[in-house]
Every structure is written in structure tokens, then in C-alpha cells.
Amino acid sequence: MLRCAGVCANCGAVREYLFSSPPQLYDDFGGPEPSELIDAGQWLAFADQVAGLVAVDDRSEEARAAMTLARQAVEEVVKFVPAAADAVPEDAFWTEAGRAVRALDPGRFRLERLLVIRDSYSG
């Protein structure tokens, strides 16, 4: 269990957050289970944002690292697709931001398209 606490710089409120840890460490964002903190739409928005910062012809080490990060974020979205399903279920979008991303293009959350997006973000 990871505990983060502090005082909000804006309002002065004391805040505490408790995060569970995956049973082992991984080279990407988390374990094999879907995130409990960031919903599927937020992960895909993050992946798109990171990938969007890289120029198409940029082959630098920084660009490769950014694209690897974007790919890992898409892999987090894929974790929300249940076994034998072909898309991220509606209940995987629990934030307003995540639901807004889904509303823009729900088809992007079909497994087949997620895998194409992931592969296009290879670093």
C-alpha cells in the first residue's frame, strides 16, 4: 500500500490518498489487471497526447521513448477488454473526461482498432 498525503496548495485542505500496489513490479504501468485509478478513455487520451508530441519523421531517442510510453498507455486500455469480448465495456469509463473521449469515437475502443493504434505507436 502506498500512502500519499499533503496540504493542497490552492485551498489548504489536508488530503490523503491510498494506492494498492500490484503483487510484483512490471516494466510498464501496472500489472495484468485494468487500472482502478485511470479509466479507459483517460488512458487513450494520454496515449494520443504523448504520441501527438512526436513528429512523424523524428527518430530520436526521446521520440522512441515517447512512442513507447504511448504504446504502453494503449496496452492499459486493452486490459479493460474482457476475455472473449471485442470492445472496452461502458463501465470502464467512470470519469467525465474518459466518457468524453469515448463519445468522440466509440469505435476506437473496439479491440481490433486498439491493437492497430498500439502497433502504430511502436517506438
Side-chain angles (χ1 to χ4, degrees), residues 94-108:
W94 60 82
T95 66
E96 187 175 320
R99 287 189 296 269
V101 173
R102 182 179 185 273
L104 288 173
D105 188 356
R108 291 190 80 209

Side-chain angles (χ1 to χ4, degrees), residues 20-77:
S20 61
S21 303
Q24 63 189 107
L25 297 177
Y26 296 87
D27 290 332
D28 54 15
F29 287 110
E33 65 283 332
S35 176
E36 295 177 2
L37 300 175
I38 302 170
D39 77 16
Q42 291 173 302
W43 275 117
L44 192 56
F46 174 72
D48 291 344
Q49 182 179 24
V50 170
L53 297 173
V54 177
V56 174
D57 59 348
D58 189 345
R59 303 288 183 242
S60 69
E61 186 65 33
E62 292 83 11
R64 284 194 299 277
M67 295 308 287
T68 297
L69 183 65
R71 179 186 173 98
Q72 289 172 335
V74 176
E75 288 173 352
E76 291 299 311
V77 180

